[in-house]
Amino acid sequence: MLPFARVAIIGLGLIGSSIARAVRAEMPTVALSGYDADPETRETARAIGLCDDIADTPGAAVLDADLVILCVPVGAMGDAARAIADDLPADAVVSDVGSCKESVAKALAEALPDATIVPAHPVAGTERSGPEAGFATLFHHRWCILTPSEGTDPVAIERVSTFWKRLGATVETMEAAHHDRVLAITSHLPHLIAYTIVGTASDLEEVTASEVIKYSAGGFRDFTRIAASDPTMWRDVFLSNREAVLDMLQRFSEDLSALQRAIRWDKGDELFDLFTRTRAVRRSIVEQGQDDAAENFGRARD
Amino acid sequence: MLPFARVAIIGLGLIGSSIARAVRAEMPTVALSGYDADPETRETARAIGLCDDIADTPGAAVLDADLVILCVPVGAMGDAARAIADDLPADAVVSDVGSCKESVAKALAEALPDATIVPAHPVAGTERSGPEAGFATLFHHRWCILTPSEGTDPVAIERVSTFWKRLGATVETMEAAHHDRVLAITSHLPHLIAYTIVGTASDLEEVTASEVIKYSAGGFRDFTRIAASDPTMWRDVFLSNREAVLDMLQRFSEDLSALQRAIRWDKGDELFDLFTRTRAVRRSIVEQGQDDAAENFGRARD
Ligand SMILES: NC(=O)c1ccc[n+]([C@@H]2O[C@H](COP(=O)([O-])OP(=O)(O)OC[C@H]3O[C@@H](n4cnc5c(N)ncnc54)[C@H](OP(=O)(O)O)[C@@H]3O)[C@@H](O)[C@H]2O)c1
Ligand SMILES: NC(=O)c1ccc[n+]([C@@H]2O[C@H](COP(=O)([O-])OP(=O)(O)OC[C@H]3O[C@@H](n4cnc5c(N)ncnc54)[C@H](OP(=O)(O)O)[C@@H]3O)[C@@H](O)[C@H]2O)c1
């Protein structure tokens, strides 16, 4: 049985358009409607036939939906929710895909006080954005975390869970606050660090930009991929998950200082011990199918 | 014309074995000899036919060579050079592949005061190590940096340069000290940061190891690849290139503090500006063929 029959997607970027493609692939009888604030994106979405209907207002997109998924930057969730408030059917379930959950849950509850809300975060993505960046298999073998607040209708939670499983994801439920701390270390801090080091390298005077680029295969290039991610999305993530990000950053800085001291005082054993410990983490990630075992990210050998 | 006819490789790990394979592929008439301190590695090298001859002592490996390449961890370069000093032919050129050049140049000059030395660093690698990790195309479209000291025989430099071009690399020459600063930012600091964040994540109590692994697709997994690199090699790199690494680390830490303040004081514009600037660097790296354009590192779409 289909968990939902009429799905509306608000925000047709990487994630929204991937959901649309995945729904088409896995649940082809579902009626799909979509809306994006950007007229150009709506045009593209129409041209590539992303949904059955691309509406010109958010209200028109949700009029008939039994599931509405907000796929906009986390800082825009409140606005996007307010924009559908008047037209949202009373029995529709509202969900989102935001990368932070506490702030989004608050924004959605304020904008839609009477709606059934089941927040979700598919832990999957690439560095691209926009409607043409999406693809149907993005969520395959990836986790999708639901963070419903206490008292949410269990049937609604179950339906959203089934929806994500149908798209290929494995579903986990946790509290929004815990989600935000877990993602602060596994996603937000890595992005913050990658942005920083790419900035640091760009600002050096004695090492030219051309040198940084030429010799990037020594490790730097991997950071640039992450640091090419969408600026709006990530600005919103850092501001919305401020406390958890700052806390993880504090721990990271302390550990970095310890390593700095180890280098300064020639403590090779300390370095060696840490570098040995970190190998095991990689092994587990590969074993659990969260990354490719291919060396060098499977980059072409020629 | 072949730049060298009899090449000896000391240290048959990732880089040494890749050179052996590349020589076989590109200059099949070259006589190849090899030696590694580890008897097991020598056994493996013999079993896979890596060289024409795998010697049981470093002296025997270089007896007849016109090029000797030291492919051992940078902290072992002095020892490896001393071990061949007595048997090195007077007209042989000595080179190495160490990731830092000032300390290695010093160690080699002390161990082999009369030899012709042309230090080199192929900026190419993977996170694997050992003789079976190597492959013949590792150096294709990558840079190889030569750092000969003043007064080195230009003919020797030219021959080493030709050697690397034959293996598919593009050759650049610079001063050892400048090399060490360029690589500190493009390779050494990225590795240091990756090791640190993987360590930080492993030490958290409220976020379990299992959660870190499950949700690593949000960005963290990319860091674990780099943090799976060889502990001995990297301990040596950080201790050998201490000053440059500590200096780059200092700049990085300052930039990270600035970002921390921007998050704390809600300065979204500052974040947005940096995140926009960093995208351009990625574009250049891809344009110049130093990385794949494939999104998400071209990870399998299913
Ligand atoms: N990218 C990832 O790796 C990833 C992974 C998991 C979750 N997420 C989350 O998914 C959400 C979307 O990210 P994305 O990567 O898909 O971003 P994206 O490709 O930039 O798409 C976002 C789209 O939403 C539109 N939009 C902005 N405000 C809107 C509003 N009020 N109403 C309707 N449309 C609006 C944007 O239009 P404009 O261009 O005009 O602003 C844009 O077309 C974010 O909350 C993000 O945190 C992202
Ligand atoms: N990996 C990279 O990405 C990369 C890139 C460019 C340059 N480099 C440089 O290349 C060099 C080798 O790195 P690698 O990645 O090939 O390391 P590797 O795979 O660990 O191989 C190094 C080999 O050298 C052997 N060895 C150690 N001391 C020796 C000695 N005194 N005499 C003879 N053999 C000795 C080691 O044996 P044991 O196992 O017994 O110690 C090991 O088999 C390092 O200087 C590194 O900085 C590495």
Side-chain angles (χ1 to χ4, degrees):
Chain A
M1 218 184 61
L2 287 178
F4 298 99
R6 296 173 309 279
V7 175
I9 303 174
I10 307 294
L12 300 171
L14 169 69
I15 302 295
S17 76
S18 291
I19 294 175
R21 290 177 170 91
V23 167
R24 276 278 160 85
E26 310 293 345
M27 296 176 272
T29 57
V30 165
L32 263 180
S33 62
Y35 170 77
D36 193 284
D38 185 347
E40 228 176 276
T41 299
R42 297 201 296 270
E43 234 11 89
T44 306
R46 283 189 191 111
I48 62 181
L50 199 61
C51 300
D52 301 307
D53 179 52
I54 301 293
D56 273 321
T57 65
V62 305
L63 261 185
D64 198 35
D66 56 3
L67 172 66
V68 177
I69 315 181
L70 305 177
C71 305
V72 303
V74 290
M77 289 288 179
D79 280 347
R82 268 184 296 277
I84 59 167
D86 287 345
D87 298 291
L88 188 70
D91 61 350
V93 174
V94 174
S95 188
D96 75 290
V97 296
S99 304
C100 332
K101 304 278 36 137
E102 262 203 306
S103 62
V104 171
K106 199 161 158 280
L108 297 190
E110 277 172 19
L112 304 167
D114 301 320
T116 303
I117 302 171
V118 183
H121 175 208
V123 185
T126 77
E127 66 275 25
R128 305 276 167 88
S129 48
E132 288 171 302
F135 52 98
T137 57
L138 178 62
F139 312 110
H140 284 202
H141 311 305
R142 293 281 91 85
W143 291 86
C144 183
I145 303 175
L146 306 188
T147 61
S149 54
E150 256 183 84
T152 306
D153 175 12
V155 176
I157 300 174
E158 193 47 44
R159 288 169 73 197
V160 172
S161 171
T162 304
F163 178 81
W164 279 103
K165 287 179 190 155
R166 292 288 289 262
L167 302 194
T170 312
V171 173
E172 186 81 78
T173 300
M174 62 176 76
E175 286 193 1
H178 186 63
H179 167 279
D180 286 358
R181 296 189 65 78
V182 172
L183 271 291
I185 187 72
T186 58
S187 177
H188 309 170
L189 185 58
H191 277 79
L192 192 66
I193 288 170
Y195 280 123
T196 305
I197 192 173
V198 176
T200 305
S202 312
D203 291 342
L204 293 174
E205 292 200 330
E206 40 157 356
V207 179
T208 65
S210 141
E211 286 175 321
V212 166
I213 288 157
K214 272 157 88 169
Y215 308 121
S216 61
F220 183 74
R221 61 178 173 174
D222 290 0
F223 289 68
T224 65
R225 186 189 75 82
I226 296 191
S229 300
D230 191 67
T232 306
M233 167 183 165
W234 284 100
R235 175 202 61 200
D236 283 9
V237 167
F238 295 126
L239 297 182
S240 303
N241 197 19
R242 182 188 339 235
E243 296 311 323
V245 168
L246 290 178
D247 180 35
M248 294 302 168
L249 181 52
Q250 184 58 36
R251 289 161 197 252
F252 170 79
S253 296
E254 284 166 21
D255 291 347
L256 197 58
S257 296
L259 226 59
Q260 186 170 12
R261 273 193 303 278
I263 294 174
R264 201 183 294 289
W265 300 109
D266 214 21
K267 299 217 191 298
D269 290 352
E270 274 180 35
L271 300 179
F272 189 86
D273 285 350
L274 170 65
F275 300 171
T276 307
R277 214 148 59 79
T278 50
R279 289 193 126 170
V281 178
R282 175 74 187 167
R283 218 172 299 129
S284 306
I285 287 177
V286 168
E287 275 165 18
Q288 296 193 19
Q290 290 308 306
D291 206 350
D292 238 280
E295 70 193 312
N296 222 355
F297 289 124
R299 284 188 178 96
R301 284 195 158 200
D302 203 2
Chain B
M1 218 182 63
L2 286 178
F4 298 100
R6 296 174 308 282
V7 175
I9 301 172
I10 307 294
L12 301 170
L14 169 68
I15 302 295
S17 76
S18 291
I19 294 176
R21 290 178 170 92
V23 167
R24 276 278 161 85
E26 310 293 344
M27 297 176 271
T29 58
V30 165
L32 263 182
S33 62
Y35 169 77
D36 193 284
D38 185 347
E40 228 176 275
T41 299
R42 296 201 295 272
E43 237 7 273
T44 305
R46 282 189 190 109
I48 63 180
L50 198 62
C51 300
D52 301 308
D53 179 51
I54 300 293
D56 273 322
T57 66
V62 305
L63 260 185
D64 198 33
D66 55 4
L67 172 67
V68 177
I69 313 181
L70 305 177
C71 305
V72 303
V74 290
M77 289 288 179
D79 279 348
R82 270 184 294 280
I84 59 165
D86 288 345
D87 298 291
L88 187 70
D91 61 351
V93 174
V94 175
S95 189
D96 75 290
V97 295
S99 305
C100 333
K101 303 278 36 134
E102 263 203 307
S103 63
V104 171
K106 198 160 159 278
L108 297 189
E110 277 171 20
L112 305 167
D114 302 319
T116 302
I117 301 171
V118 182
H121 175 208
V123 185
T126 77
E127 66 275 26
R128 305 275 166 89
S129 48
E132 289 172 302
F135 52 98
T137 58
L138 178 62
F139 311 111
H140 283 201
H141 313 303
R142 293 280 93 85
W143 291 86
C144 182
I145 303 174
L146 307 188
T147 62
S149 54
E150 257 183 84
T152 306
D153 176 12
V155 176
I157 300 174
E158 194 47 44
R159 288 168 72 198
V160 172
S161 171
T162 304
F163 177 81
W164 279 104
K165 288 177 189 158
R166 293 289 291 260
L167 302 194
T170 312
V171 174
E172 186 81 76
T173 301
M174 62 176 78
E175 286 192 4
H178 186 62
H179 166 279
D180 286 359
R181 296 188 64 79
V182 172
L183 271 291
I185 187 72
T186 58
S187 177
H188 308 171
L189 186 59
H191 277 80
L192 192 66
I193 287 170
Y195 280 124
T196 305
I197 191 174
V198 177
T200 304
S202 313
D203 290 343
L204 294 174
E205 291 199 330
E206 38 156 358
V207 179
T208 65
S210 140
E211 285 175 320
V212 166
I213 288 157
K214 272 159 84 170
Y215 308 120
S216 61
F220 183 74
R221 60 178 175 175
D222 290 359
F223 289 68
T224 64
R225 186 190 75 83
I226 296 192
S229 300
D230 190 67
T232 305
M233 166 182 164
W234 284 99
R235 176 200 60 200
D236 284 9
V237 166
F238 295 124
L239 298 182
S240 304
N241 197 19
R242 182 189 337 234
E243 296 312 321
V245 169
L246 290 179
D247 180 34
M248 295 299 168
L249 182 52
Q250 184 59 36
R251 290 161 195 252
F252 169 79
S253 296
E254 284 166 20
D255 292 347
L256 197 58
S257 296
L259 226 59
Q260 187 171 12
R261 272 193 304 277
I263 294 173
R264 200 182 293 289
W265 299 108
D266 214 21
K267 298 216 192 297
D269 290 351
E270 275 182 36
L271 299 179
F272 189 85
D273 286 350
L274 171 65
F275 301 171
T276 307
R277 215 149 57 79
T278 50
R279 290 192 125 172
V281 179
R282 175 72 185 168
R283 220 172 297 127
S284 306
I285 288 177
V286 168
E287 274 164 18
Q288 296 192 20
Q290 291 308 305
D291 207 349
D292 237 279
E295 70 194 312
N296 221 356
F297 290 123
R299 284 185 178 100
R301 285 196 158 199
D302 204 2

